[in-house]
Amino acid sequence: MMRVKGDDLGELTEYIVNSANAWTLPTETDSPSENGMLEQWDQRVASLDTAILSMIGDEEDFLQGEVASMLDAVLQSSLWQRSLRRHDESLQRAMKAVIRKRCEFIWASSTSKQRRGYFLAGVGLKAGRALDEMASEVNQLIRDANESLLAEDAERTIAAITSFAEKIFRIHPFKPRHLPEDWQRLIRCWLSGEPVARFHQGSESETLRFIETALVYQLSWAMEAVRVRAEANDEMVADDSSKNGETERGLAVIAVETGTMNRSASILIRVGFSSRRAAIKVAEESQATFTTVQGIRSWLNSNAVVALSEQPDWPNAEINALWSKLEEDSSQRRSLSWIARTYESDVIWDTDHFLSENTPVHVFQRNGRARVLAPDGHPLGFLQATLNPNRRGLIRARIAAHQDRIQMDYLGPDDLFSEPAL
């Protein structure tokens, strides 16, 4: 604002408070420098909007005249408020005026449902309005993409996601910095699971950058932004009559994030199978049909996959290490299920004064030994069992019926002891 209006903070404050055009950056020409300034302006105003909505955007619907006082109350003793006190009063007034007037402007320009949608989507007022204007179109495209993925209609899926991208890539913050000329074909390549490194010979890095930023990050974010904005405004983005309605809403996002329309391959990638091509190969050759993380275990134990795993050359030399790690991780997950268990262990007491049955005690591990502490932290003795220092669960201990033992209720995987309990 100061670059446009001058360095007089008093005049700038008056302009912000009294001008209806304070949030429109004036431009005289189409020069590159001014285009860059406009881009910076949009980015910083969007950041300000997001900050305001994050502070009070999900609260009850305040009247417009109450917003400024509500904002002041939220900012009291905040880091921003304390940092601002280090500057002179004129700058403090200008900064506070900017935030208050922007807050009032947002409330005057939107409804409670719209603000909640913008807040959940993580966008500012300008981007939120743009999403509002194209809501019916982009909501339908998200619905088409999810439904076609569920029906395994690859062509319809690609068409819906590409059309969605064509619309959403016009809006900051979803607009990519650089769009390759044939970016639509690149989306097809990505979603089809084809190798992208060979897509542009000699410009592989630019291609991968587009995949990582424009597709995996910005396009996925835009899909989620559209979904949560629609839900906040009571608009349907999925077939809620489907028995898996909640689950099926995110299919298009998962496909864009992982670079495949094969649902089983997408899940493998999400649980840590680091090679996209390897995950697709394994899922296709094993004819995998699982659609949840839990389904991986049943799939790994199926006769078809066990038979394939016994082949020394399957999946292939390049993928064997990833495959072995997947099997190992799945085996570990089975043993790490959290269950409530009760154990008893002998104690070597340091005192002749015994606590009564069911008295709570603490179990505290130090220097490789587990001590029993009274409720006030006073040391009472040592456990004879060796506890696992890397256990993941939670212990609640008390004196057992036998005075030389304690009882431990343990919630966690089967990892409490390093050695069998005594």
Side-chain angles (χ1 to χ4, degrees):
M1 286 180 166
M2 290 174 70
R3 285 170 62 185
V4 173
K5 301 303 296 181
D7 294 337
D8 189 312
L9 286 171
E11 291 184 7
L12 177 61
T13 304
E14 288 296 317
Y15 171 74
I16 295 167
V17 171
N18 299 312
S19 175
N21 299 317
W23 305 107
T24 302
L25 189 68
T27 54
E28 300 293 336
T29 67
D30 293 328
S31 68
S33 61
E34 289 192 352
N35 288 336
M37 190 174 177
L38 278 170
E39 185 176 347
Q40 280 190 344
W41 172 263
D42 286 342
Q43 290 173 352
R44 291 172 182 175
V45 170
S47 295
L48 177 59
D49 290 353
T50 304
I52 291 172
L53 292 171
S54 296
M55 287 188 289
I56 59 176
D58 203 28
E59 299 285 346
E60 59 185 273
D61 191 23
F62 297 98
L63 296 175
Q64 185 179 343
E66 300 172 336
V67 174
S69 58
M70 176 60 190
L71 186 65
D72 286 341
V74 170
L75 289 173
Q76 283 299 322
S77 301
S78 66
L79 176 61
W80 180 82
Q81 189 89 299
R82 294 197 301 271
S83 301
L84 192 60
R85 290 179 188 143
R86 300 175 184 174
H87 299 277
D88 59 60
E89 290 187 6
S90 58
L91 180 59
Q92 291 184 40
R93 285 194 297 270
M95 295 283 276
K96 289 178 180 179
V98 167
I99 294 181
R100 286 173 182 162
K101 295 306 291 185
R102 185 61 185 179
C103 193
E104 292 173 358
F105 183 80
I106 292 172
W107 254 250
S109 308
S110 60
T111 66
S112 176
K113 283 187 176 181
Q114 286 176 320
R115 289 191 296 275
R116 177 166 174 78
Y118 305 159
F119 164 73
L120 294 173
V123 298
L125 181 64
K126 185 176 181 179
R129 282 172 163 177
L131 292 179
D132 290 340
E133 291 174 2
M134 61 174 64
S136 60
E137 297 174 276
V138 292
N139 289 351
Q140 182 62 50
L141 289 169
I142 290 288
R143 189 183 302 117
D144 288 347
N146 287 328
E147 290 175 355
S148 56
L149 275 165
L150 198 58
E152 299 182 355
D153 187 337
E155 286 301 316
R156 185 183 169 203
T157 299
I158 294 170
I161 292 176
T162 303
S163 296
F164 179 88
E166 287 171 347
K167 296 180 181 300
I168 216 72
F169 279 170
R170 303 170 191 164
I171 303 173
H172 173 80
F174 311 121
K175 184 178 181 179
R177 287 186 175 275
H178 173 67
L179 274 175
E181 289 185 4
D182 50 356
W183 64 268
Q184 293 94 335
R185 190 163 67 91
L186 186 51
I187 287 182
R188 171 179 291 275
C189 170
W190 176 247
L191 291 174
S192 300
E194 299 172 15
V196 297
R198 299 195 302 268
F199 189 82
H200 284 152
Q201 294 295 332
S203 58
E204 293 86 352
S205 61
E206 288 79 5
T207 298
L208 293 175
R209 189 177 300 115
F210 173 78
I211 294 290
E212 291 172 356
T213 57
L215 300 188
V216 176
Y217 173 56
Q218 289 170 298
L219 186 56
S220 296
W221 174 16
M223 287 179 164
E224 282 296 279
V226 166
R227 181 182 67 80
V228 297
R229 192 218 67 85
E231 290 178 355
N233 287 272
D234 301 320
E235 301 165 0
M236 286 185 61
V237 291
D239 181 7
D240 288 339
S241 64
S242 168
K243 64 179 180 179
N244 294 320
E246 284 294 330
T247 303
E248 311 307 347
R249 295 179 186 187
L251 293 183
V253 176
I254 295 172
V256 170
E257 285 180 349
T258 57
T260 176
M261 292 179 283
N262 185 312
R263 295 178 67 186
S264 298
S266 290
I267 293 170
L268 286 175
I269 294 168
R270 281 195 149 194
V271 300
F273 209 72
S274 57
S275 169
R276 166 175 164 266
R277 291 296 302 156
I280 295 170
K281 174 182 174 64
V282 167
E284 290 179 347
E285 293 190 3
S286 67
Q287 298 181 339
T289 57
F290 59 86
T291 57
T292 64
V293 173
Q294 292 74 19
I296 293 178
R297 299 174 186 173
S298 299
W299 170 69
L300 286 171
N301 292 326
S302 66
N303 293 333
V305 174
V306 170
L308 287 170
S309 299
E310 291 174 351
Q311 299 177 16
D313 57 346
W314 192 85
N316 59 38
E318 179 185 354
I319 305 174
N320 276 339
L322 289 173
W323 178 252
S324 298
K325 187 175 186 305
L326 176 67
E327 292 182 308
E328 180 184 348
D329 289 347
S330 179
S331 176
Q332 288 178 352
R333 286 191 192 97
R334 285 196 293 271
S335 66
L336 294 180
S337 298
W338 280 46
I339 300 173
R341 301 175 175 88
T342 300
Y343 303 95
E344 284 195 9
S345 178
D346 288 339
V347 180
I348 302 174
W349 299 108
D350 289 340
T351 176
D352 293 333
H353 178 68
F354 294 107
L355 299 176
S356 59
E357 182 181 353
N358 290 327
T359 300
V361 293
H362 297 294
V363 176
F364 178 73
Q365 193 147 345
R366 183 176 183 183
N367 297 330
R369 298 194 67 185
R371 296 212 65 162
V372 179
L373 308 179
D376 63 359
H378 183 76
L380 299 174
F382 292 91
L383 280 187
Q384 287 190 271
T386 303
L387 298 187
N388 175 12
N390 298 315
R391 62 185 180 274
R392 293 174 171 82
L394 306 171
I395 300 175
R396 184 173 61 185
R398 60 187 181 275
I399 301 297
H402 192 293
Q403 289 187 331
D404 287 332
R405 299 174 72 84
I406 67 166
Q407 193 171 78
M408 293 178 288
D409 296 324
Y410 184 66
L411 178 61
D414 189 13
D415 67 346
L416 177 58
F417 299 101
S418 296
E419 298 174 1
L422 298 178

